[in-house]
Amino acid sequence: MPHDLPPDGELTVFTLGGFGEIVAGADLASLIAAAVDSRLIDGDILAITSKIVSKAEGRQRAATDREQAITDETVRVVATRAHPGGVTRIVQNRQGLIMAAAGVDTSNTPDGVVLLLPVDPDASARALCTALRARTGLRLGVVITDTAGRPWRDGQTDIAIGAAGLAVLDDLRGTADASGRRLDVTAAAVADEIAGAADLVKGKTSGNPVAVVRGLAHLVGDMTLAGASALQRPSETDMFRLGTNEAHDEGYAEGYAAGRAAALTEDAFD
Amino acid sequence: MPHDLPPDGELTVFTLGGFGEIVAGADLASLIAAAVDSRLIDGDILAITSKIVSKAEGRQRAATDREQAITDETVRVVATRAHPGGVTRIVQNRQGLIMAAAGVDTSNTPDGVVLLLPVDPDASARALCTALRARTGLRLGVVITDTAGRPWRDGQTDIAIGAAGLAVLDDLRGTADASGRRLDVTAAAVADEIAGAADLVKGKTSGNPVAVVRGLAHLVGDMTLAGASALQRPSETDMFRLGTNEAHDEGYAEGYAAGRAAALTEDAFD
């Protein structure tokens, strides 16, 4: 397994600068290949902000349709919270990701439009990775990143919403630690850590939508490796599949009906 | 604000190698300073695996006391799940962190003991950062890292459980995006992204407990900056403060009592 090799001890992340405004139909692989020039080496991973992928794929709607766009992208409502400006909806979207506003994005977008996430970010990553490998002759990986909030911790981190050509999970389960003891439950979500590392350099406002992550060649492998959707925990096994208030409300309604029925049954036997 | 400056466009992360076995009472700052030799430069951030801090602080208990140690470290049970080997407890611990097994760790530990997290990881980070700054004369940051699972996504990532001398949150709220539009809800949890980037290099089994993160000098500031506890979302405002099943059960019990009472009241008026 390529990802069982140790890291080579140094990680470097650098950006490629801006690409100008990306329009629908843009050939992102060509633009990236041109920007990266001859700076790539074998084993590099490209971390690409989903926003430019969405723009190239024409995934935009009128800003006035924002609420409807969120509804249309929603598969399952996970939690909602009212606030003075409206209602924040945390939902599972068509891509399987749990995100505020279904990942519909209004920052760094052209005037008057909102951006939707790519329809299938793993497919987008595979297409980009295949094209970039063909162009450069190098063994490369591609991670498509987006910014997401998370339970329990303030602030957002970038995560991998699409990936190709690399191990997204560095599965150490069953291997031994430095003392020879089994590491039972350790599987590092390396694609998410790569997305976060790239965000540290790309930033949010800098017009740097692509970063090269170098030093993780041991994670780069063939194009059949699982994409970032493999990092999505199925909601059936997710201990936090619903918001606390939503789960409480569901339980209350079920309990109320059951309690009422039980009392009436008792009464019938009085 | 130091963290409003743009990144300098390149991030480098490298490890310092092993430190041998760390014993209780070890002077970690001296060991790290010796290992890092003259390789540090102004603005570097040291990402230090919590395990060696725990060892130096003598935070260990007999492995046979593991379950009791988890109970003792627990402030609030968030979710539990039975499995063939026992019960996994996701809890909020004394440090305020929500973690499986309260962060009590059995891998990479000496035989026969389990490690508890440092009592106050931010205080540990401040002590280490102060000592390392005094020794080197450099403006440095320190992040103490640990591995944590998260809702919704498979695999673990390293997060910052302690921090000193750097902005843990790169708060862009109120600033403008590249189009001049306000970035309303963006505050990057940079300390967590730094912990994750360091994990990519340190790994879990490599005996590399310390990484130097270079290129984020804009985040490094004075020693009064908030620690990593500032990244903990207060449970009162956390939409996922309880597991789905636990919240459902609480709601069911309340609803059952209310439904029963309502039925009996109705009955009284029959």
Side-chain angles (χ1 to χ4, degrees), chain B residues 3 119 131 144 151 156 185 200 231 239 260 264:
Chain B
H3 51 286
V119 172
I144 297 178
Q156 293 93 43
V185 289
L200 288 168
L231 292 175
M239 295 160 91
R260 190 166 185 286
L264 296 175

PDB file of all heavy atoms in Angstrom, chain B residues 3 119 131 144 151 156 185 200 231 239 260 264:
ATOM      1  N   HIS B   3      -2.613  38.815  12.564  1.00  0.00           N
ATOM      2  CA  HIS B   3      -3.094  37.757  11.675  1.00  0.00           C
ATOM      3  C   HIS B   3      -3.890  38.295  10.492  1.00  0.00           C
ATOM      4  O   HIS B   3      -4.457  37.541   9.749  1.00  0.00           O
ATOM      5  CB  HIS B   3      -3.891  36.722  12.449  1.00  0.00           C
ATOM      6  CG  HIS B   3      -4.958  37.310  13.295  1.00  0.00           C
ATOM      7  ND1 HIS B   3      -4.694  37.971  14.467  1.00  0.00           N
ATOM      8  CD2 HIS B   3      -6.289  37.345  13.146  1.00  0.00           C
ATOM      9  CE1 HIS B   3      -5.826  38.370  15.004  1.00  0.00           C
ATOM     10  NE2 HIS B   3      -6.799  38.008  14.223  1.00  0.00           N
ATOM     11  N   VAL B 119      -3.207  18.587  32.147  1.00  0.00           N
ATOM     12  CA  VAL B 119      -4.286  19.175  32.952  1.00  0.00           C
ATOM     13  C   VAL B 119      -4.811  20.455  32.298  1.00  0.00           C
ATOM     14  O   VAL B 119      -6.021  20.676  32.219  1.00  0.00           O
ATOM     15  CB  VAL B 119      -3.777  19.495  34.375  1.00  0.00           C
ATOM     16  CG1 VAL B 119      -4.826  20.284  35.159  1.00  0.00           C
ATOM     17  CG2 VAL B 119      -3.427  18.203  35.108  1.00  0.00           C
ATOM     18  N   ALA B 131       9.467  29.567  27.619  1.00  0.00           N
ATOM     19  CA  ALA B 131      10.829  29.034  27.797  1.00  0.00           C
ATOM     20  C   ALA B 131      11.587  29.020  26.472  1.00  0.00           C
ATOM     21  O   ALA B 131      12.771  29.389  26.412  1.00  0.00           O
ATOM     22  CB  ALA B 131      10.763  27.630  28.399  1.00  0.00           C
ATOM     23  N   ILE B 144      -0.029  22.605  20.945  1.00  0.00           N
ATOM     24  CA  ILE B 144      -0.022  21.229  21.453  1.00  0.00           C
ATOM     25  C   ILE B 144      -1.151  20.478  20.766  1.00  0.00           C
ATOM     26  O   ILE B 144      -2.298  20.938  20.758  1.00  0.00           O
ATOM     27  CB  ILE B 144      -0.164  21.194  22.986  1.00  0.00           C
ATOM     28  CG1 ILE B 144       1.059  21.891  23.618  1.00  0.00           C
ATOM     29  CG2 ILE B 144      -0.295  19.763  23.496  1.00  0.00           C
ATOM     30  CD1 ILE B 144       1.017  21.965  25.131  1.00  0.00           C
ATOM     31  N   PRO B 151     -17.746  14.326  14.247  1.00  0.00           N
ATOM     32  CA  PRO B 151     -19.003  13.900  13.641  1.00  0.00           C
ATOM     33  C   PRO B 151     -18.931  14.014  12.111  1.00  0.00           C
ATOM     34  O   PRO B 151     -18.112  14.792  11.586  1.00  0.00           O
ATOM     35  CB  PRO B 151     -20.013  14.912  14.191  1.00  0.00           C
ATOM     36  CG  PRO B 151     -19.405  15.398  15.458  1.00  0.00           C
ATOM     37  CD  PRO B 151     -17.927  15.425  15.171  1.00  0.00           C
ATOM     38  N   GLN B 156      -9.688  10.387  11.710  1.00  0.00           N
ATOM     39  CA  GLN B 156      -9.367  11.427  12.690  1.00  0.00           C
ATOM     40  C   GLN B 156      -8.455  12.487  12.064  1.00  0.00           C
ATOM     41  O   GLN B 156      -7.773  12.222  11.081  1.00  0.00           O
ATOM     42  CB  GLN B 156      -8.642  10.805  13.897  1.00  0.00           C
ATOM     43  CG  GLN B 156      -9.503   9.863  14.727  1.00  0.00           C
ATOM     44  CD  GLN B 156      -9.351   8.426  14.284  1.00  0.00           C
ATOM     45  OE1 GLN B 156      -8.254   7.965  14.028  1.00  0.00           O
ATOM     46  NE2 GLN B 156     -10.455   7.703  14.185  1.00  0.00           N
ATOM     47  N   VAL B 185     -19.120  34.996   7.612  1.00  0.00           N
ATOM     48  CA  VAL B 185     -19.035  33.976   8.650  1.00  0.00           C
ATOM     49  C   VAL B 185     -17.725  33.195   8.592  1.00  0.00           C
ATOM     50  O   VAL B 185     -17.660  32.051   8.999  1.00  0.00           O
ATOM     51  CB  VAL B 185     -20.216  32.985   8.569  1.00  0.00           C
ATOM     52  CG1 VAL B 185     -21.493  33.674   8.998  1.00  0.00           C
ATOM     53  CG2 VAL B 185     -20.364  32.426   7.177  1.00  0.00           C
ATOM     54  N   LEU B 200       0.565  15.460   9.214  1.00  0.00           N
ATOM     55  CA  LEU B 200       0.936  14.881   7.917  1.00  0.00           C
ATOM     56  C   LEU B 200       2.419  14.523   7.892  1.00  0.00           C
ATOM     57  O   LEU B 200       2.837  13.613   7.172  1.00  0.00           O
ATOM     58  CB  LEU B 200       0.629  15.868   6.786  1.00  0.00           C
ATOM     59  CG  LEU B 200      -0.859  16.072   6.464  1.00  0.00           C
ATOM     60  CD1 LEU B 200      -1.036  17.266   5.541  1.00  0.00           C
ATOM     61  CD2 LEU B 200      -1.443  14.809   5.828  1.00  0.00           C
ATOM     62  N   LEU B 231     -11.047  27.834  20.855  1.00  0.00           N
ATOM     63  CA  LEU B 231     -11.658  27.103  19.730  1.00  0.00           C
ATOM     64  C   LEU B 231     -12.766  26.156  20.187  1.00  0.00           C
ATOM     65  O   LEU B 231     -13.420  25.522  19.372  1.00  0.00           O
ATOM     66  CB  LEU B 231     -10.589  26.308  18.965  1.00  0.00           C
ATOM     67  CG  LEU B 231      -9.568  27.140  18.197  1.00  0.00           C
ATOM     68  CD1 LEU B 231      -8.500  26.242  17.586  1.00  0.00           C
ATOM     69  CD2 LEU B 231     -10.260  27.955  17.095  1.00  0.00           C
ATOM     70  N   MET B 239     -25.064  23.198  18.478  1.00  0.00           N
ATOM     71  CA  MET B 239     -26.221  22.500  17.937  1.00  0.00           C
ATOM     72  C   MET B 239     -26.058  20.977  18.010  1.00  0.00           C
ATOM     73  O   MET B 239     -27.004  20.240  17.733  1.00  0.00           O
ATOM     74  CB  MET B 239     -26.451  22.928  16.478  1.00  0.00           C
ATOM     75  CG  MET B 239     -26.836  24.400  16.356  1.00  0.00           C
ATOM     76  SD  MET B 239     -26.542  25.055  14.681  1.00  0.00           S
ATOM     77  CE  MET B 239     -28.154  24.734  13.940  1.00  0.00           C
ATOM     78  N   ARG B 260     -48.601  11.583  29.040  1.00  0.00           N
ATOM     79  CA  ARG B 260     -49.355  10.833  30.039  1.00  0.00           C
ATOM     80  C   ARG B 260     -50.150  11.803  30.922  1.00  0.00           C
ATOM     81  O   ARG B 260     -51.351  11.615  31.161  1.00  0.00           O
ATOM     82  CB  ARG B 260     -48.358  10.023  30.869  1.00  0.00           C
ATOM     83  CG  ARG B 260     -49.009   9.020  31.780  1.00  0.00           C
ATOM     84  CD  ARG B 260     -48.011   8.006  32.330  1.00  0.00           C
ATOM     85  NE  ARG B 260     -48.747   7.016  33.090  1.00  0.00           N
ATOM     86  CZ  ARG B 260     -49.275   7.247  34.290  1.00  0.00           C
ATOM     87  NH1 ARG B 260     -49.099   8.415  34.865  1.00  0.00           N
ATOM     88  NH2 ARG B 260     -49.982   6.311  34.902  1.00  0.00           N
ATOM     89  N   LEU B 264     -54.269  12.138  31.288  1.00  0.00           N
ATOM     90  CA  LEU B 264     -54.942  11.990  32.580  1.00  0.00           C
ATOM     91  C   LEU B 264     -55.757  13.243  32.911  1.00  0.00           C
ATOM     92  O   LEU B 264     -56.828  13.161  33.498  1.00  0.00           O
ATOM     93  CB  LEU B 264     -53.915  11.693  33.676  1.00  0.00           C
ATOM     94  CG  LEU B 264     -53.184  10.345  33.487  1.00  0.00           C
ATOM     95  CD1 LEU B 264     -52.093  10.169  34.535  1.00  0.00           C
ATOM     96  CD2 LEU B 264     -54.172   9.171  33.541  1.00  0.00           C
TER      97      LEU B 264
END
